[in-house]
Amino acid sequence: MPVHAQQTSGTPDDSSTASPADLAAALRAAGVEFDDSPLTRALYSSDASLYRVVPSTVVKARSADDVIAAHEVARALRMPVTMRGAGTSIAGNAVGSGIVVDTRRFNRVLAIDPDARTARVEPGVVHADLQREAALYGLRFGPDPSSHSRCTVGGMIGNNACGSRALGYGRTVDNVESLRVLYGNGELALEQGEQGGRAVGRTATRLAAVGDANLAHLRTEFGRFGRQVSGYGLEHLLPERRRVERFLVGSEGSLATVLEATVRLVDDRVERRLLVLGYPTMAEAADAVPALLGAAPGRLVACEGMDSRIVDLVREKGSPVPELPRGHGWLFAEVAGEDATDAVRRLVAAGAALDTRLVDDPREAAALWRIREDGAGLAGRSLPTPAYGGWEDAAVPPEHLGAWLRDFEELLRAHGLQGIPYGHFGDGCVHCRIDFPFRPGDPASAGVFRDFMTACATRLRDYRGTLSGEHGDGRVRGELLPLMYDETSLALFRQVKTVCDPDGILNPGIIAEPVAITDDLRPVRPRAPVTPGLRLVHDGGDLGAAVHRCTGVGKCVAPRTAGVMCPSYLATSDERDSTRGRARVLQETLDGGLLRGGLKDPAVADALDLCLACKGCSSDCPSGVDMATYKSEVLHQRHDVAGLRRPRSHLFLGQLPRWARLTAPLARPANLLLRVGPLAALAKWAAGIDHRRSVPRFASPTLRKATGASHTHDAPPDVWIWADSFTDHFFPNSGLAAIRFLESHGLTVRVIREDACCGLTWITTGQLDRARDIVGRTVRTLTPYVRSGVPVLALEPSCLASLRSDAGELCDAEEADAVASGLLSFAELVERLDLPLPDLTGVEVVAQPHCHHSAIIGWDTDQRLLERAGAHVTKVAGCCGLAGNFGVEKGHYEVSVAVAETHLLPAVRGHMDAVFLADGMSCRVQLDDLAQVPTQHLAELFASRI
């Protein structure tokens, strides 16, 4: 059994006697921005790994001076310091007990030299942002990890990240030309490769001496194959390969801190072809890899393995998946270059696959690569019980991959575990999430985890493989390094650590002085029980299990997105306002420790305050986090269970359908009164509405009144329309337009006469007991209609989405499922009935899908109908920023506008002559308030062209 050399985890500041006050005073004197609040420390206590280590403080660096100052304080106080980019480390490389430095604001692309094909960047620049700037010159940074939308270049350098296309473009280490670094000993140095193997500077000279003294050992034990990432890259200290800057790559911030990097770029103007090969099993797919590598040398840019069970998860979510060849294990083989077509033919001949498919459509290829990118999150919920990282990215020389994969599956069975392998098969690197039987409050339950990890490391030694193929050793594999390396190698790790960081302040517990792999495990921490108001059907009624769905992969902290998640983070760039940040705070309140007030803790209110309950994470998060649902539950626990006073806005906006129903007979005078300035101001104050917001006009008459829905009819219609509260009382024209369009095609249409509310506003404000009664009554009301065989149309997307997603959380009646599947959106109805479409040739449409429409219903049908009708469609990404009561409430106006500025308002300014399509009430109100542009429901657009 391997032993750990030194334990650095546990309480903050293990190696320092400095008090929190001393640390705060020193950072303040150094002019550094920091935050040592319990909320922020909770946010940064975990990365994407299994580990939780609470920092003393978090420094938010904006420049090299900030980083240098933080390190000077750390050295003076003997305080650990850990660098952090996007916090997507799977191995636990980005958590630490002292100072954590967040570099995401230290993020400029300083220069791109298209002739030299290099880019000079600050460490916090996001990989995707560098790619966007390089693309202007037809270039790209070669490595592309699956977290490319949010991971930082500094983090990639720390872990020696690789990604899918490392087969063609190399690892991060192969693409670094120079680094400006701050060593742990305080030396500032520019380490660069053009020195011809000469070491310059005190620290580099001493490192070179280590290489010179151990030539034979370094030549035989290091750099043996491409994915040997574990440990330190000592092969770069050999005289014939001496590149000190590359030696520092993959050192996980334990030797030096990167202040600036110059990286190599490659030509991106090449033909790419994606060939998918199908095999009976993943092991048989692995067997084919050596033949594929030999069939297209230098042309195979990527060769990725994908298990059919991961793809099945995407299909179960209702997301479209391009056609794939027969098989249960696939290889995604991408070739590039002028002879790409010929290379594909050679791959088909060499692959011996069950079936193959050449994916010609770039959109289909992009969809398949997105599934691969989301592999970690999808694999984490691919089994009946939660699956975890840990044995995450071991690699072997590719010629041994099939044999290793069979051994690996045998080890899983022997330990009673399951896992779904996928990964960079062309590089011999396998990813897997495994259902380790961790139990909250039971540290002994980590025993299977330790035994399995040790057994795998022992078996891997037979193949001369590597514990880490791209994510680094971190906390999860450092203790196992003695099973991969001999004592001479381990002594060299300690020696170079002493040269670079003699006081051991840089990311302690990593590589040279590893902590035990079972120290600080999150999944075994005690968890406070909560009796939920929602059923939490996907998590067995366990709020703790629900919030722990977030494993930290961080798709929600991407600074740009084409989806919905996470609008408030896009507006503020604050970790607190991300889906991950909120999940971390909720985990901390339930697991105890830092936030001792439980769900009543003020930090919980702070973290959830700017959650728009947009549902974007429920579809965009690969781990299936649904923060809107968790927020509803937490508000219920805080106000209904714990008795904290509710905001006024909950009592008015949270019960808006009720007030609208009561106001309906007096709608005209009410609208007139609300146009009187002092009365409107008083009403807004009483309701908790921001004074800059308008108050929507009450409909007179309502949709049901206008259509005579109160009258009885003998014969059933061809279509029923459900008059949801928003359509009925605020936007009846949407319903009237739907009737005109449907009747123009000879259909009989009637509006359901009974009052039936989806309960959405009660749900989003956490008034779950009342919501349960409302939703239950609505389900009972609508069940006979949906079971009659007559299509039932729902016009307001948020109300339809609520019955499709929230009703089942409140009602366990069989009828809830029937209603959820029986209601149709307007686009779904038109497509199901195969109705003729209006001629929209030449019409430019800018569409803002309601967030719930995108996340729960899906907007593909709407887009398909518009394009078939001849319209030119611009779909606006992201959220409008109003999101029901959120953007109307006092205190949220600025963020609501900032969210609108991320996507919606720029789209409006760029298409002033377009038709603006917005089915959701929130989106229509936001566009009216902020842009003063007329909007239409899809039904209104279609009806206008009859």
Side-chain angles (χ1 to χ4, degrees):
M1 180 79 71
V3 295
H4 59 285
Q6 174 183 341
Q7 181 170 327
T8 61
S9 56
T11 59
D13 313 341
D14 289 353
S15 61
S16 174
T17 58
S19 68
D22 291 338
L23 176 58
L27 290 171
R28 196 174 293 114
V32 174
E33 179 185 351
F34 69 97
D35 189 339
D36 58 4
S37 67
L39 170 59
T40 295
R41 293 167 64 208
L43 295 175
Y44 288 82
S45 64
S46 299
D47 48 16
S49 72
L50 297 173
Y51 296 95
R52 171 193 177 271
V53 180
V54 179
S56 298
T57 193
V58 176
V59 167
K60 298 181 179 180
R62 296 178 182 271
S63 67
D65 289 342
D66 288 344
V67 176
I68 293 168
H71 281 62
E72 288 174 347
V73 169
R75 284 195 300 277
L77 299 181
R78 298 185 61 82
M79 178 76 62
V81 60
T82 301
M83 303 302 295
R84 179 178 172 119
T88 56
S89 162
I90 293 175
N93 329 65
V95 290
S97 62
I99 302 170
V100 169
V101 180
D102 184 338
T103 63
R104 283 177 291 180
R105 300 180 188 181
F106 182 20
N107 61 355
R108 293 178 298 165
V109 176
L110 299 171
I112 291 181
D113 186 335
D115 296 324
R117 292 188 177 181
T118 59
R120 190 163 58 88
V121 301
E122 293 175 335
V125 69
V126 170
H127 177 276
D129 289 342
L130 172 59
Q131 299 293 50
R132 268 184 284 273
E133 295 208 26
L136 299 175
Y137 303 95
L139 302 171
R140 60 169 289 144
F141 184 49
D144 59 345
S146 59
S147 57
H148 63 87
S149 65
R150 62 273 190 195
C151 73
T152 64
V153 174
M156 292 178 67
I157 291 169
N159 293 350
N160 195 7
C162 302
S164 300
R165 294 183 174 87
L167 189 61
Y169 299 128
R171 307 160 296 170
T172 295
V173 69
D174 304 312
N175 292 275
V176 168
E177 297 301 329
S178 70
L179 295 177
R180 181 171 176 246
V181 300
L182 174 64
Y183 286 104
N185 58 26
E187 182 185 1
L188 273 170
L190 175 62
E191 304 294 2
Q192 51 193 348
E194 61 263 23
Q195 296 158 355
R198 293 183 297 107
V200 177
R202 182 179 72 255
T203 304
T205 300
R206 293 182 64 193
L207 289 172
V210 173
D212 292 340
N214 296 275
L215 299 178
H217 186 78
L218 300 190
R219 286 171 179 149
T220 55
E221 296 300 317
F222 292 88
R224 290 180 285 103
F225 71 105
R227 286 298 181 113
Q228 186 181 349
V229 168
S230 277
Y232 293 130
L234 295 173
E235 69 273 18
H236 297 292
L237 298 182
L238 288 166
E240 66 270 21
R241 301 180 61 175
R242 186 156 296 155
R243 298 285 296 265
V244 174
E245 80 284 5
R246 294 188 176 182
F247 161 71
L248 296 173
V249 175
S251 59
E252 304 178 37
S254 65
L255 303 179
T257 293
V258 176
L259 303 177
E260 184 182 299
T262 298
V263 296
R264 180 194 304 165
L265 304 177
V266 297
D267 189 358
D268 198 35
R269 294 167 293 193
V270 293
E271 180 186 2
R272 299 183 187 279
R273 308 298 297 275
L274 175 60
L275 175 70
V276 183
L277 303 98
Y279 297 89
T281 66
M282 291 298 288
E284 287 168 281
D287 289 336
V289 167
L292 294 177
L293 295 175
R299 287 293 177 263
L300 197 55
V301 174
C303 184
E304 297 292 290
M306 178 62 64
D307 192 289
S308 62
R309 289 169 289 181
I310 293 177
V311 175
D312 289 343
L313 273 178
V314 179
R315 291 194 177 106
E316 288 170 13
K317 287 174 58 180
S319 301
V321 175
E323 178 188 351
L324 288 164
R326 288 182 296 117
H328 294 287
W330 294 294
L331 293 177
F332 292 2
E334 183 179 270
V335 294
E338 295 179 358
D339 63 343
T341 301
D342 182 59
V344 166
R345 284 195 293 267
R346 297 198 301 272
L347 291 173
V348 171
L354 279 177
D355 193 11
T356 63
R357 184 190 172 211
L358 181 62
V359 183
D360 289 317
D361 187 337
R363 290 176 298 184
E364 288 192 332
L368 291 173
W369 283 120
R370 275 195 299 274
I371 295 171
R372 171 58 191 87
E373 289 168 5
D374 289 341
L378 292 169
R381 54 192 181 93
S382 58
L383 301 171
T385 55
Y388 303 90
W391 190 262
E392 178 62 40
D393 63 311
V396 298
E399 61 269 22
H400 300 313
L401 182 60
W404 160 243
L405 202 52
R406 289 179 177 87
D407 280 358
F408 177 65
E409 290 170 346
E410 177 189 315
L411 288 166
L412 285 170
R413 287 191 295 270
H415 288 81
L417 301 172
Q418 297 182 76
I420 297 181
Y422 65 101
H424 313 299
F425 277 27
D427 289 304
C429 183
V430 179
H431 296 314
C432 191
R433 293 287 163 122
I434 300 169
D435 61 344
F436 298 115
F438 297 123
R439 290 185 298 275
D442 181 9
S445 66
V448 174
F449 169 67
R450 171 183 282 283
D451 292 345
F452 176 79
M453 295 283 285
T454 304
C456 277
T458 302
R459 185 74 62 89
L460 187 73
R461 186 169 53 193
D462 297 339
Y463 295 97
R464 298 206 74 194
T466 179
L467 298 170
S468 170
E470 64 178 336
H471 295 150
D473 299 306
R475 291 173 169 266
V476 76
R477 287 181 286 267
E479 184 191 356
L480 302 174
L481 284 171
L483 292 174
M484 177 180 169
Y485 288 112
D486 61 16
E487 181 52 41
T488 300
S489 299
L490 299 175
L492 287 171
F493 294 164
R494 293 189 289 270
Q495 186 176 352
V496 295
K497 172 71 171 176
T498 300
V499 168
C500 297
D501 181 30
D503 295 327
I505 66 167
L506 296 186
N507 211 4
I510 304 296
I511 304 178
E513 44 189 26
V515 296
I517 63 173
T518 51
D519 284 352
D520 303 309
L521 283 173
R522 257 189 309 115
V524 300
R525 288 180 56 76
R527 189 176 297 167
V530 174
T531 302
L534 295 170
R535 294 176 62 213
L536 301 175
V537 292
H538 299 296
D539 297 283
D542 185 346
L543 181 61
V547 300
H548 275 281
R549 274 178 171 265
C550 177
T551 57
V553 295
K555 193 173 181 181
C556 55
V557 297
R560 293 174 177 80
T561 178
V564 178
M565 179 183 70
C566 177
S568 52
Y569 180 80
L570 293 177
T572 70
S573 299
D574 192 320
E575 181 77 19
R576 177 188 66 176
D577 300 322
S578 68
T579 304
R580 179 177 70 182
R582 296 181 183 108
R584 291 295 188 234
V585 169
L586 294 180
Q587 290 170 7
E588 192 67 30
T589 61
L590 296 177
D591 295 357
L594 189 58
L595 303 176
R596 299 185 182 276
L599 293 176
K600 294 192 298 181
D601 197 290
V604 174
D606 289 344
L608 292 178
D609 181 48
L610 296 185
C611 173
L612 285 78
C614 67
K615 290 279 189 182
C617 50
S618 69
S619 60
D620 290 359
C621 173
S623 299
V625 171
D626 183 355
M627 190 53 62
T629 294
Y630 309 161
K631 180 179 181 179
S632 296
E633 180 63 55
V634 171
L635 291 175
H636 167 71
Q637 295 292 333
R638 287 173 62 85
H639 300 298
D640 293 345
V641 177
L644 296 182
R645 184 177 180 181
R646 282 190 174 276
R648 288 197 307 274
S649 61
H650 284 198
L651 303 178
F652 182 81
L653 297 171
Q655 301 181 29
L656 182 59
R658 175 192 179 202
W659 302 120
R661 186 173 66 254
L662 294 174
T663 305
L666 304 169
R668 291 183 186 275
N671 288 332
L672 289 172
L673 288 173
L674 288 173
R675 293 173 65 183
V676 178
L679 291 178
L682 180 62
K684 291 178 184 179
W685 176 85
I689 297 175
D690 189 278
H691 69 91
R692 290 161 287 190
R693 283 296 181 186
S694 65
V695 178
R697 292 175 61 84
F698 295 99
S700 181
T702 65
L703 175 63
R704 286 183 293 160
K705 190 79 170 175
T707 57
S710 59
H711 303 305
T712 58
H713 301 270
D714 294 330
D718 298 309
V719 176
W720 284 110
I721 292 181
W722 166 45
D724 63 83
S725 298
F726 300 130
T727 303
D728 197 26
H729 293 288
F730 295 101
F731 288 95
N733 284 342
S734 302
L736 297 173
I739 293 170
R740 287 199 309 275
F741 178 77
L742 295 172
E743 288 182 343
S744 74
H745 293 297
L747 299 172
T748 304
V749 185
R750 287 211 296 275
V751 176
I752 294 172
R753 63 181 179 177
E754 293 96 335
D755 178 57
C757 177
C758 70
L760 176 63
T761 57
W762 283 271
I763 294 168
T764 57
T765 52
Q767 300 177 73
L768 299 183
D769 295 332
R770 181 70 180 124
R772 188 176 297 106
D773 294 338
I774 293 169
V775 173
R777 184 171 62 248
T778 294
V779 165
R780 292 190 295 273
T781 297
L782 295 180
T783 295
Y785 292 98
V786 299
R787 286 183 170 170
S788 71
V790 176
V792 181
L793 171 62
L795 288 155
E796 167 59 43
S798 63
C799 296
L800 171 57
S802 185
L803 289 183
R804 284 194 181 176
S805 64
D806 298 322
E809 293 287 358
L810 291 161
C811 307
D812 58 4
E814 181 183 336
E815 288 85 355
D817 291 335
V819 169
S821 59
L823 294 174
L824 301 173
S825 72
F826 181 75
E828 290 171 337
L829 177 71
V830 170
E831 187 167 78
R832 176 175 295 187
L833 298 179
D834 195 22
L835 298 178
L837 301 178
D839 183 6
L840 298 178
T841 303
V843 176
E844 184 177 16
V845 172
V846 173
Q848 171 65 67
H850 191 286
C851 292
H852 293 188
H853 199 157
S854 291
I856 305 299
I857 305 165
W859 202 75
D860 291 344
T861 304
D862 301 65
Q863 182 156 359
R864 189 162 53 246
L865 291 181
L866 287 165
E867 291 175 347
R868 278 176 48 202
H872 179 270
V873 183
T874 299
K875 177 186 175 184
V876 179
C879 179
C880 74
L882 193 74
N885 60 295
F886 173 84
V888 178
E889 288 176 337
K890 187 176 181 181
H892 292 163
Y893 182 81
E894 286 77 11
V895 170
S896 177
V897 174
V899 172
E901 283 289 359
T902 59
H903 296 290
L904 177 58
L905 295 182
V908 170
R909 290 190 286 267
H911 301 83
M912 290 303 295
D913 296 328
V915 171
F916 292 95
L917 200 63
D919 288 5
M921 176 177 171
S922 293
C923 309
R924 300 184 79 161
V925 170
Q926 182 79 313
L927 279 163
D928 186 50
D929 270 8
L930 302 185
Q932 293 81 50
V933 297
T935 56
Q936 296 184 43
H937 190 285
L938 181 63
E940 293 176 284
L941 175 60
F942 277 21
S944 72
R945 302 291 169 143
I946 294 173

